PDB file of all heavy atoms in Angstrom:
ATOM      1  N   LEU I   8      11.911  -1.117   4.017  1.00 98.00           N
ATOM      2  CA  LEU I   8      11.484  -1.981   2.927  1.00 98.00           C
ATOM      3  C   LEU I   8      10.259  -2.795   3.363  1.00 98.00           C
ATOM      4  O   LEU I   8      10.267  -3.403   4.433  1.00 98.00           O
ATOM      5  CB  LEU I   8      12.613  -2.947   2.565  1.00 98.00           C
ATOM      6  CG  LEU I   8      13.944  -2.350   2.151  1.00 98.00           C
ATOM      7  CD1 LEU I   8      14.980  -3.466   1.942  1.00 98.00           C
ATOM      8  CD2 LEU I   8      13.783  -1.533   0.887  1.00 98.00           C
ATOM      9  N   ALA I   9       9.227  -2.787   2.529  1.00 98.00           N
ATOM     10  CA  ALA I   9       8.019  -3.550   2.846  1.00 98.00           C
ATOM     11  C   ALA I   9       7.643  -4.432   1.650  1.00 98.00           C
ATOM     12  O   ALA I   9       7.168  -3.955   0.626  1.00 98.00           O
ATOM     13  CB  ALA I   9       6.870  -2.612   3.202  1.00 98.00           C
ATOM     14  N   ASP I  10       7.849  -5.729   1.813  1.00 96.00           N
ATOM     15  CA  ASP I  10       7.508  -6.741   0.797  1.00 96.00           C
ATOM     16  C   ASP I  10       7.341  -8.065   1.539  1.00 96.00           C
ATOM     17  O   ASP I  10       8.089  -8.331   2.480  1.00 96.00           O
ATOM     18  CB  ASP I  10       8.613  -6.843  -0.271  1.00 96.00           C
ATOM     19  CG  ASP I  10       8.180  -7.674  -1.472  1.00 96.00           C
ATOM     20  OD1 ASP I  10       8.066  -8.913  -1.347  1.00 96.00           O
ATOM     21  OD2 ASP I  10       7.952  -7.076  -2.545  1.00 96.00           O
ATOM     22  N   VAL I  15      13.041 -11.173  -1.803  1.00 94.00           N
ATOM     23  CA  VAL I  15      12.928  -9.877  -2.475  1.00 94.00           C
ATOM     24  C   VAL I  15      13.512  -8.791  -1.583  1.00 94.00           C
ATOM     25  O   VAL I  15      14.287  -7.927  -2.036  1.00 94.00           O
ATOM     26  CB  VAL I  15      11.477  -9.562  -2.849  1.00 94.00           C
ATOM     27  CG1 VAL I  15      11.336  -8.133  -3.369  1.00 94.00           C
ATOM     28  CG2 VAL I  15      10.959 -10.554  -3.880  1.00 94.00           C
ATOM     29  N   ARG I  16      13.158  -8.811  -0.305  1.00 96.00           N
ATOM     30  CA  ARG I  16      13.691  -7.814   0.625  1.00 96.00           C
ATOM     31  C   ARG I  16      15.201  -7.904   0.711  1.00 96.00           C
ATOM     32  O   ARG I  16      15.905  -6.884   0.779  1.00 96.00           O
ATOM     33  CB  ARG I  16      13.081  -7.969   2.024  1.00 96.00           C
ATOM     34  CG  ARG I  16      11.587  -7.691   2.068  1.00 96.00           C
ATOM     35  CD  ARG I  16      11.119  -7.456   3.501  1.00 96.00           C
ATOM     36  NE  ARG I  16      11.502  -8.504   4.429  1.00 96.00           N
ATOM     37  CZ  ARG I  16      10.794  -9.614   4.623  1.00 96.00           C
ATOM     38  NH1 ARG I  16       9.677  -9.836   3.959  1.00 96.00           N
ATOM     39  NH2 ARG I  16      11.210 -10.517   5.492  1.00 96.00           N
ATOM     40  N   GLY I  18      17.260  -8.909  -1.618  1.00 95.00           N
ATOM     41  CA  GLY I  18      17.823  -8.331  -2.833  1.00 95.00           C
ATOM     42  C   GLY I  18      17.714  -6.816  -2.839  1.00 95.00           C
ATOM     43  O   GLY I  18      18.667  -6.114  -3.247  1.00 95.00           O
ATOM     44  N   LEU I  19      16.591  -6.293  -2.396  1.00 96.00           N
ATOM     45  CA  LEU I  19      16.408  -4.839  -2.340  1.00 96.00           C
ATOM     46  C   LEU I  19      17.416  -4.210  -1.382  1.00 96.00           C
ATOM     47  O   LEU I  19      18.016  -3.170  -1.674  1.00 96.00           O
ATOM     48  CB  LEU I  19      14.991  -4.492  -1.905  1.00 96.00           C
ATOM     49  CG  LEU I  19      13.846  -4.850  -2.855  1.00 96.00           C
ATOM     50  CD1 LEU I  19      12.503  -4.573  -2.201  1.00 96.00           C
ATOM     51  CD2 LEU I  19      13.969  -4.073  -4.165  1.00 96.00           C
ATOM     52  N   ARG I  20      17.574  -4.834  -0.237  1.00 97.00           N
ATOM     53  CA  ARG I  20      18.532  -4.302   0.752  1.00 97.00           C
ATOM     54  C   ARG I  20      19.942  -4.258   0.160  1.00 97.00           C
ATOM     55  O   ARG I  20      20.672  -3.249   0.351  1.00 97.00           O
ATOM     56  CB  ARG I  20      18.513  -5.164   2.022  1.00 97.00           C
ATOM     57  CG  ARG I  20      19.480  -4.672   3.090  1.00 97.00           C
ATOM     58  CD  ARG I  20      19.456  -5.598   4.312  1.00 97.00           C
ATOM     59  NE  ARG I  20      18.364  -5.328   5.198  1.00 97.00           N
ATOM     60  CZ  ARG I  20      18.415  -4.459   6.214  1.00 97.00           C
ATOM     61  NH1 ARG I  20      19.500  -3.754   6.433  1.00 97.00           N
ATOM     62  NH2 ARG I  20      17.384  -4.296   7.007  1.00 97.00           N
ATOM     63  N   LEU I  23      20.185  -1.352  -2.377  1.00 97.00           N
ATOM     64  CA  LEU I  23      20.127  -0.020  -1.786  1.00 97.00           C
ATOM     65  C   LEU I  23      21.322   0.269  -0.892  1.00 97.00           C
ATOM     66  O   LEU I  23      21.854   1.398  -0.889  1.00 97.00           O
ATOM     67  CB  LEU I  23      18.831   0.145  -1.000  1.00 97.00           C
ATOM     68  CG  LEU I  23      17.547   0.072  -1.858  1.00 97.00           C
ATOM     69  CD1 LEU I  23      16.311   0.103  -0.973  1.00 97.00           C
ATOM     70  CD2 LEU I  23      17.498   1.212  -2.863  1.00 97.00           C
ATOM     71  N   LEU I  53       9.832   5.028   2.211  1.00 98.00           N
ATOM     72  CA  LEU I  53       9.291   3.690   2.353  1.00 98.00           C
ATOM     73  C   LEU I  53       9.183   3.074   0.954  1.00 98.00           C
ATOM     74  O   LEU I  53       8.509   3.624   0.093  1.00 98.00           O
ATOM     75  CB  LEU I  53       7.902   3.731   2.999  1.00 98.00           C
ATOM     76  CG  LEU I  53       7.074   2.421   2.995  1.00 98.00           C
ATOM     77  CD1 LEU I  53       7.769   1.344   3.841  1.00 98.00           C
ATOM     78  CD2 LEU I  53       5.661   2.673   3.490  1.00 98.00           C
ATOM     79  N   VAL I  54       9.847   1.952   0.751  1.00 98.00           N
ATOM     80  CA  VAL I  54       9.721   1.193  -0.507  1.00 98.00           C
ATOM     81  C   VAL I  54       8.680   0.110  -0.245  1.00 98.00           C
ATOM     82  O   VAL I  54       8.883  -0.769   0.599  1.00 98.00           O
ATOM     83  CB  VAL I  54      11.061   0.565  -0.936  1.00 98.00           C
ATOM     84  CG1 VAL I  54      10.876  -0.268  -2.202  1.00 98.00           C
ATOM     85  CG2 VAL I  54      12.106   1.666  -1.175  1.00 98.00           C
ATOM     86  N   LEU I  55       7.563   0.188  -0.967  1.00 97.00           N
ATOM     87  CA  LEU I  55       6.369  -0.571  -0.609  1.00 97.00           C
ATOM     88  C   LEU I  55       5.791  -1.360  -1.772  1.00 97.00           C
ATOM     89  O   LEU I  55       5.535  -0.806  -2.842  1.00 97.00           O
ATOM     90  CB  LEU I  55       5.317   0.420  -0.101  1.00 97.00           C
ATOM     91  CG  LEU I  55       3.926  -0.078   0.240  1.00 97.00           C
ATOM     92  CD1 LEU I  55       3.946  -0.987   1.477  1.00 97.00           C
ATOM     93  CD2 LEU I  55       2.982   1.105   0.481  1.00 97.00           C
ATOM     94  N   ASP I  56       5.574  -2.666  -1.554  1.00 95.00           N
ATOM     95  CA  ASP I  56       4.864  -3.482  -2.539  1.00 95.00           C
ATOM     96  C   ASP I  56       3.369  -3.185  -2.432  1.00 95.00           C
ATOM     97  O   ASP I  56       2.860  -2.864  -1.342  1.00 95.00           O
ATOM     98  CB  ASP I  56       5.147  -4.973  -2.265  1.00 95.00           C
ATOM     99  CG  ASP I  56       4.632  -5.872  -3.362  1.00 95.00           C
ATOM    100  OD1 ASP I  56       4.286  -5.364  -4.457  1.00 95.00           O
ATOM    101  OD2 ASP I  56       4.573  -7.097  -3.134  1.00 95.00           O
ATOM    102  N   LEU I  57       2.655  -3.318  -3.552  1.00 91.00           N
ATOM    103  CA  LEU I  57       1.220  -3.035  -3.526  1.00 91.00           C
ATOM    104  C   LEU I  57       0.411  -4.171  -2.901  1.00 91.00           C
ATOM    105  O   LEU I  57      -0.555  -3.921  -2.177  1.00 91.00           O
ATOM    106  CB  LEU I  57       0.686  -2.800  -4.953  1.00 91.00           C
ATOM    107  CG  LEU I  57       0.835  -1.405  -5.534  1.00 91.00           C
ATOM    108  CD1 LEU I  57       0.184  -1.341  -6.900  1.00 91.00           C
ATOM    109  CD2 LEU I  57       0.217  -0.365  -4.610  1.00 91.00           C
ATOM    110  N   LEU I  58       0.779  -5.416  -3.164  1.00 89.00           N
ATOM    111  CA  LEU I  58      -0.007  -6.542  -2.681  1.00 89.00           C
ATOM    112  C   LEU I  58       0.676  -7.133  -1.450  1.00 89.00           C
ATOM    113  O   LEU I  58       1.638  -7.881  -1.552  1.00 89.00           O
ATOM    114  CB  LEU I  58      -0.137  -7.593  -3.777  1.00 89.00           C
ATOM    115  CG  LEU I  58      -1.191  -8.674  -3.561  1.00 89.00           C
ATOM    116  CD1 LEU I  58      -2.580  -8.072  -3.417  1.00 89.00           C
ATOM    117  CD2 LEU I  58      -1.201  -9.691  -4.690  1.00 89.00           C
ATOM    118  N   MET I  59       0.156  -6.754  -0.286  1.00 90.00           N
ATOM    119  CA  MET I  59       0.760  -7.151   0.979  1.00 90.00           C
ATOM    120  C   MET I  59      -0.294  -7.864   1.845  1.00 90.00           C
ATOM    121  O   MET I  59      -1.473  -7.540   1.793  1.00 90.00           O
ATOM    122  CB  MET I  59       1.256  -5.924   1.746  1.00 90.00           C
ATOM    123  CG  MET I  59       2.345  -5.155   1.019  1.00 90.00           C
ATOM    124  SD  MET I  59       3.979  -5.852   1.300  1.00 90.00           S
ATOM    125  CE  MET I  59       4.245  -5.340   2.991  1.00 90.00           C
ATOM    126  N   GLY I  64      -1.031  -2.489  -0.041  1.00 92.00           N
ATOM    127  CA  GLY I  64      -0.151  -1.333  -0.216  1.00 92.00           C
ATOM    128  C   GLY I  64      -0.887  -0.015  -0.304  1.00 92.00           C
ATOM    129  O   GLY I  64      -0.406   0.993   0.227  1.00 92.00           O
ATOM    130  N   VAL I  80       6.814   7.736  -0.235  1.00 97.00           N
ATOM    131  CA  VAL I  80       6.590   6.345  -0.578  1.00 97.00           C
ATOM    132  C   VAL I  80       6.939   6.055  -2.045  1.00 97.00           C
ATOM    133  O   VAL I  80       6.442   6.742  -2.960  1.00 97.00           O
ATOM    134  CB  VAL I  80       5.125   5.924  -0.301  1.00 97.00           C
ATOM    135  CG1 VAL I  80       4.917   4.446  -0.675  1.00 97.00           C
ATOM    136  CG2 VAL I  80       4.779   6.150   1.165  1.00 97.00           C
ATOM    137  N   VAL I  81       7.794   5.046  -2.218  1.00 97.00           N
ATOM    138  CA  VAL I  81       8.100   4.504  -3.545  1.00 97.00           C
ATOM    139  C   VAL I  81       7.364   3.170  -3.654  1.00 97.00           C
ATOM    140  O   VAL I  81       7.623   2.254  -2.876  1.00 97.00           O
ATOM    141  CB  VAL I  81       9.611   4.270  -3.708  1.00 97.00           C
ATOM    142  CG1 VAL I  81       9.899   3.559  -5.029  1.00 97.00           C
ATOM    143  CG2 VAL I  81      10.385   5.571  -3.636  1.00 97.00           C
ATOM    144  N   ILE I  82       6.444   3.070  -4.613  1.00 95.00           N
ATOM    145  CA  ILE I  82       5.763   1.811  -4.855  1.00 95.00           C
ATOM    146  C   ILE I  82       6.626   0.939  -5.765  1.00 95.00           C
ATOM    147  O   ILE I  82       7.136   1.407  -6.787  1.00 95.00           O
ATOM    148  CB  ILE I  82       4.386   2.058  -5.525  1.00 95.00           C
ATOM    149  CG1 ILE I  82       3.449   2.814  -4.559  1.00 95.00           C
ATOM    150  CG2 ILE I  82       3.755   0.740  -5.961  1.00 95.00           C
ATOM    151  CD1 ILE I  82       3.063   2.035  -3.312  1.00 95.00           C
ATOM    152  N   LEU I  83       6.794  -0.324  -5.360  1.00 94.00           N
ATOM    153  CA  LEU I  83       7.503  -1.315  -6.178  1.00 94.00           C
ATOM    154  C   LEU I  83       6.516  -2.415  -6.490  1.00 94.00           C
ATOM    155  O   LEU I  83       6.062  -3.121  -5.569  1.00 94.00           O
ATOM    156  CB  LEU I  83       8.706  -1.860  -5.405  1.00 94.00           C
ATOM    157  CG  LEU I  83       9.632  -2.799  -6.154  1.00 94.00           C
ATOM    158  CD1 LEU I  83      10.300  -2.107  -7.331  1.00 94.00           C
ATOM    159  CD2 LEU I  83      10.694  -3.374  -5.231  1.00 94.00           C
ATOM    160  N   SER I  84       6.128  -2.553  -7.754  1.00 91.00           N
ATOM    161  CA  SER I  84       5.018  -3.421  -8.079  1.00 91.00           C
ATOM    162  C   SER I  84       5.223  -4.146  -9.403  1.00 91.00           C
ATOM    163  O   SER I  84       5.927  -3.672 -10.290  1.00 91.00           O
ATOM    164  CB  SER I  84       3.724  -2.594  -8.161  1.00 91.00           C
ATOM    165  OG  SER I  84       2.630  -3.402  -8.581  1.00 91.00           O
ATOM    166  N   MET I  85       4.535  -5.293  -9.544  1.00 89.00           N
ATOM    167  CA  MET I  85       4.534  -6.024 -10.799  1.00 89.00           C
ATOM    168  C   MET I  85       3.481  -5.479 -11.761  1.00 89.00           C
ATOM    169  O   MET I  85       3.475  -5.828 -12.926  1.00 89.00           O
ATOM    170  CB  MET I  85       4.231  -7.503 -10.538  1.00 89.00           C
ATOM    171  CG  MET I  85       2.837  -7.779 -10.081  1.00 89.00           C
ATOM    172  SD  MET I  85       2.486  -9.535  -9.831  1.00 89.00           S
ATOM    173  CE  MET I  85       3.447  -9.874  -8.372  1.00 89.00           C
ATOM    174  N   HIS I  86       2.588  -4.618 -11.272  1.00 85.00           N
ATOM    175  CA  HIS I  86       1.461  -4.155 -12.056  1.00 85.00           C
ATOM    176  C   HIS I  86       1.823  -2.987 -12.991  1.00 85.00           C
ATOM    177  O   HIS I  86       2.209  -1.932 -12.523  1.00 85.00           O
ATOM    178  CB  HIS I  86       0.306  -3.732 -11.167  1.00 85.00           C
ATOM    179  CG  HIS I  86      -0.266  -4.856 -10.354  1.00 85.00           C
ATOM    180  ND1 HIS I  86      -0.932  -5.921 -10.931  1.00 85.00           N
ATOM    181  CD2 HIS I  86      -0.256  -5.096  -9.009  1.00 85.00           C
ATOM    182  CE1 HIS I  86      -1.319  -6.762  -9.969  1.00 85.00           C
ATOM    183  NE2 HIS I  86      -0.913  -6.291  -8.810  1.00 85.00           N
ATOM    184  N   ALA I  95      -2.086   4.719  -7.000  1.00 89.00           N
ATOM    185  CA  ALA I  95      -0.951   4.923  -6.095  1.00 89.00           C
ATOM    186  C   ALA I  95      -0.622   6.398  -5.951  1.00 89.00           C
ATOM    187  O   ALA I  95      -0.459   6.912  -4.825  1.00 89.00           O
ATOM    188  CB  ALA I  95       0.278   4.165  -6.616  1.00 89.00           C
ATOM    189  N   ALA I 100       1.676   8.361  -3.266  1.00 93.00           N
ATOM    190  CA  ALA I 100       3.001   7.888  -3.710  1.00 93.00           C
ATOM    191  C   ALA I 100       3.691   8.984  -4.520  1.00 93.00           C
ATOM    192  O   ALA I 100       3.051   9.798  -5.183  1.00 93.00           O
ATOM    193  CB  ALA I 100       2.859   6.626  -4.571  1.00 93.00           C
ATOM    194  N   ALA I 102       6.641   7.915  -6.275  1.00 93.00           N
ATOM    195  CA  ALA I 102       7.381   7.149  -7.287  1.00 93.00           C
ATOM    196  C   ALA I 102       6.740   5.783  -7.451  1.00 93.00           C
ATOM    197  O   ALA I 102       6.170   5.228  -6.497  1.00 93.00           O
ATOM    198  CB  ALA I 102       8.854   7.007  -6.897  1.00 93.00           C
ATOM    199  N   TYR I 103       6.847   5.260  -8.666  1.00 93.00           N
ATOM    200  CA  TYR I 103       6.288   3.948  -8.996  1.00 93.00           C
ATOM    201  C   TYR I 103       7.301   3.226  -9.860  1.00 93.00           C
ATOM    202  O   TYR I 103       7.618   3.681 -10.972  1.00 93.00           O
ATOM    203  CB  TYR I 103       4.962   4.124  -9.723  1.00 93.00           C
ATOM    204  CG  TYR I 103       4.112   2.868  -9.828  1.00 93.00           C
ATOM    205  CD1 TYR I 103       2.952   2.717  -9.050  1.00 93.00           C
ATOM    206  CD2 TYR I 103       4.422   1.841 -10.722  1.00 93.00           C
ATOM    207  CE1 TYR I 103       2.153   1.585  -9.140  1.00 93.00           C
ATOM    208  CE2 TYR I 103       3.625   0.700 -10.820  1.00 93.00           C
ATOM    209  CZ  TYR I 103       2.491   0.583 -10.029  1.00 93.00           C
ATOM    210  OH  TYR I 103       1.698  -0.532 -10.120  1.00 93.00           O
ATOM    211  N   VAL I 104       7.822   2.102  -9.339  1.00 93.00           N
ATOM    212  CA  VAL I 104       8.844   1.352 -10.058  1.00 93.00           C
ATOM    213  C   VAL I 104       8.340  -0.070 -10.286  1.00 93.00           C
ATOM    214  O   VAL I 104       7.800  -0.709  -9.359  1.00 93.00           O
ATOM    215  CB  VAL I 104      10.166   1.294  -9.231  1.00 93.00           C
ATOM    216  CG1 VAL I 104      11.227   0.497  -9.962  1.00 93.00           C
ATOM    217  CG2 VAL I 104      10.664   2.709  -8.942  1.00 93.00           C
ATOM    218  N   LEU I 105       8.490  -0.541 -11.489  1.00 92.00           N
ATOM    219  CA  LEU I 105       8.065  -1.910 -11.821  1.00 92.00           C
ATOM    220  C   LEU I 105       9.108  -2.907 -11.331  1.00 92.00           C
ATOM    221  O   LEU I 105      10.306  -2.620 -11.335  1.00 92.00           O
ATOM    222  CB  LEU I 105       7.880  -2.048 -13.343  1.00 92.00           C
ATOM    223  CG  LEU I 105       6.797  -1.138 -13.925  1.00 92.00           C
ATOM    224  CD1 LEU I 105       6.805  -1.216 -15.448  1.00 92.00           C
ATOM    225  CD2 LEU I 105       5.407  -1.540 -13.396  1.00 92.00           C
ATOM    226  N   LYS I 106       8.648  -4.086 -10.930  1.00 90.00           N
ATOM    227  CA  LYS I 106       9.562  -5.074 -10.380  1.00 90.00           C
ATOM    228  C   LYS I 106      10.535  -5.648 -11.394  1.00 90.00           C
ATOM    229  O   LYS I 106      11.540  -6.245 -11.016  1.00 90.00           O
ATOM    230  CB  LYS I 106       8.781  -6.200  -9.686  1.00 90.00           C
ATOM    231  CG  LYS I 106       8.257  -5.802  -8.333  1.00 90.00           C
ATOM    232  CD  LYS I 106       7.758  -6.984  -7.528  1.00 90.00           C
ATOM    233  CE  LYS I 106       7.485  -6.595  -6.094  1.00 90.00           C
ATOM    234  NZ  LYS I 106       7.007  -7.720  -5.264  1.00 90.00           N
ATOM    235  N   ASP I 107      10.231  -5.455 -12.683  1.00 89.00           N
ATOM    236  CA  ASP I 107      11.183  -5.912 -13.680  1.00 89.00           C
ATOM    237  C   ASP I 107      12.117  -4.792 -14.134  1.00 89.00           C
ATOM    238  O   ASP I 107      12.845  -4.933 -15.114  1.00 89.00           O
ATOM    239  CB  ASP I 107      10.473  -6.533 -14.887  1.00 89.00           C
ATOM    240  CG  ASP I 107       9.479  -5.583 -15.560  1.00 89.00           C
ATOM    241  OD1 ASP I 107       9.405  -4.409 -15.144  1.00 89.00           O
ATOM    242  OD2 ASP I 107       8.769  -6.023 -16.486  1.00 89.00           O
ATOM    243  N   ALA I 108      12.110  -3.675 -13.413  1.00 90.00           N
ATOM    244  CA  ALA I 108      13.006  -2.545 -13.718  1.00 90.00           C
ATOM    245  C   ALA I 108      14.428  -2.880 -13.263  1.00 90.00           C
ATOM    246  O   ALA I 108      14.649  -3.833 -12.501  1.00 90.00           O
ATOM    247  CB  ALA I 108      12.512  -1.280 -13.048  1.00 90.00           C
ATOM    248  N   SER I 109      15.356  -2.070 -13.703  1.00 92.00           N
ATOM    249  CA  SER I 109      16.752  -2.258 -13.301  1.00 92.00           C
ATOM    250  C   SER I 109      16.972  -1.722 -11.892  1.00 92.00           C
ATOM    251  O   SER I 109      16.209  -0.907 -11.391  1.00 92.00           O
ATOM    252  CB  SER I 109      17.681  -1.521 -14.293  1.00 92.00           C
ATOM    253  OG  SER I 109      17.516  -0.127 -14.149  1.00 92.00           O
ATOM    254  N   ALA I 110      18.063  -2.181 -11.287  1.00 93.00           N
ATOM    255  CA  ALA I 110      18.426  -1.681  -9.964  1.00 93.00           C
ATOM    256  C   ALA I 110      18.679  -0.177 -10.001  1.00 93.00           C
ATOM    257  O   ALA I 110      18.335   0.532  -9.034  1.00 93.00           O
ATOM    258  CB  ALA I 110      19.680  -2.419  -9.472  1.00 93.00           C
ATOM    259  N   GLU I 112      17.131   2.019 -11.721  1.00 93.00           N
ATOM    260  CA  GLU I 112      15.856   2.729 -11.668  1.00 93.00           C
ATOM    261  C   GLU I 112      15.352   2.863 -10.245  1.00 93.00           C
ATOM    262  O   GLU I 112      14.833   3.904  -9.851  1.00 93.00           O
ATOM    263  CB  GLU I 112      14.802   2.020 -12.547  1.00 93.00           C
ATOM    264  CG  GLU I 112      14.897   2.332 -14.024  1.00 93.00           C
ATOM    265  CD  GLU I 112      13.605   1.936 -14.741  1.00 93.00           C
ATOM    266  OE1 GLU I 112      12.612   2.670 -14.607  1.00 93.00           O
ATOM    267  OE2 GLU I 112      13.627   0.906 -15.421  1.00 93.00           O
ATOM    268  N   LEU I 113      15.477   1.793  -9.475  1.00 95.00           N
ATOM    269  CA  LEU I 113      15.031   1.851  -8.082  1.00 95.00           C
ATOM    270  C   LEU I 113      15.848   2.872  -7.308  1.00 95.00           C
ATOM    271  O   LEU I 113      15.295   3.679  -6.540  1.00 95.00           O
ATOM    272  CB  LEU I 113      15.154   0.476  -7.436  1.00 95.00           C
ATOM    273  CG  LEU I 113      14.771   0.420  -5.946  1.00 95.00           C
ATOM    274  CD1 LEU I 113      13.316   0.867  -5.728  1.00 95.00           C
ATOM    275  CD2 LEU I 113      14.995  -0.969  -5.392  1.00 95.00           C
ATOM    276  N   VAL I 114      17.143   2.902  -7.510  1.00 96.00           N
ATOM    277  CA  VAL I 114      18.002   3.874  -6.836  1.00 96.00           C
ATOM    278  C   VAL I 114      17.593   5.300  -7.219  1.00 96.00           C
ATOM    279  O   VAL I 114      17.468   6.180  -6.357  1.00 96.00           O
ATOM    280  CB  VAL I 114      19.482   3.623  -7.196  1.00 96.00           C
ATOM    281  CG1 VAL I 114      20.350   4.783  -6.707  1.00 96.00           C
ATOM    282  CG2 VAL I 114      19.952   2.298  -6.568  1.00 96.00           C
ATOM    283  N   ALA I 116      14.670   6.280  -8.224  1.00 95.00           N
ATOM    284  CA  ALA I 116      13.360   6.544  -7.644  1.00 95.00           C
ATOM    285  C   ALA I 116      13.486   6.932  -6.178  1.00 95.00           C
ATOM    286  O   ALA I 116      12.829   7.852  -5.702  1.00 95.00           O
ATOM    287  CB  ALA I 116      12.461   5.332  -7.813  1.00 95.00           C
ATOM    288  N   VAL I 117      14.320   6.214  -5.427  1.00 97.00           N
ATOM    289  CA  VAL I 117      14.522   6.510  -4.017  1.00 97.00           C
ATOM    290  C   VAL I 117      15.136   7.899  -3.832  1.00 97.00           C
ATOM    291  O   VAL I 117      14.717   8.672  -2.977  1.00 97.00           O
ATOM    292  CB  VAL I 117      15.380   5.425  -3.333  1.00 97.00           C
ATOM    293  CG1 VAL I 117      15.782   5.851  -1.933  1.00 97.00           C
ATOM    294  CG2 VAL I 117      14.627   4.109  -3.285  1.00 97.00           C
ATOM    295  N   SER I 128       8.611   4.632 -13.486  1.00 85.00           N
ATOM    296  CA  SER I 128       9.408   3.638 -14.191  1.00 85.00           C
ATOM    297  C   SER I 128       8.965   3.533 -15.664  1.00 85.00           C
ATOM    298  O   SER I 128       7.766   3.588 -15.952  1.00 85.00           O
ATOM    299  CB  SER I 128       9.199   2.283 -13.497  1.00 85.00           C
ATOM    300  OG  SER I 128      10.032   1.297 -14.035  1.00 85.00           O
TER     301      SER I 128
END
Side-chain angles (χ1 to χ4, degrees):
L8 303 175
D10 191 288
V15 173
R16 294 198 307 274
L19 293 174
R20 180 183 279 271
L23 296 174
L53 170 65
V54 178
L55 175 68
D56 189 13
L57 276 184
L58 194 60
M59 298 276 287
V80 181
V81 174
I82 295 294
L83 185 63
S84 176
M85 68 178 71
H86 296 294
Y103 194 106
V104 180
L105 298 173
K106 282 193 170 181
D107 57 5
S109 68
E112 278 197 76
L113 178 59
V114 169
V117 170
S128 186

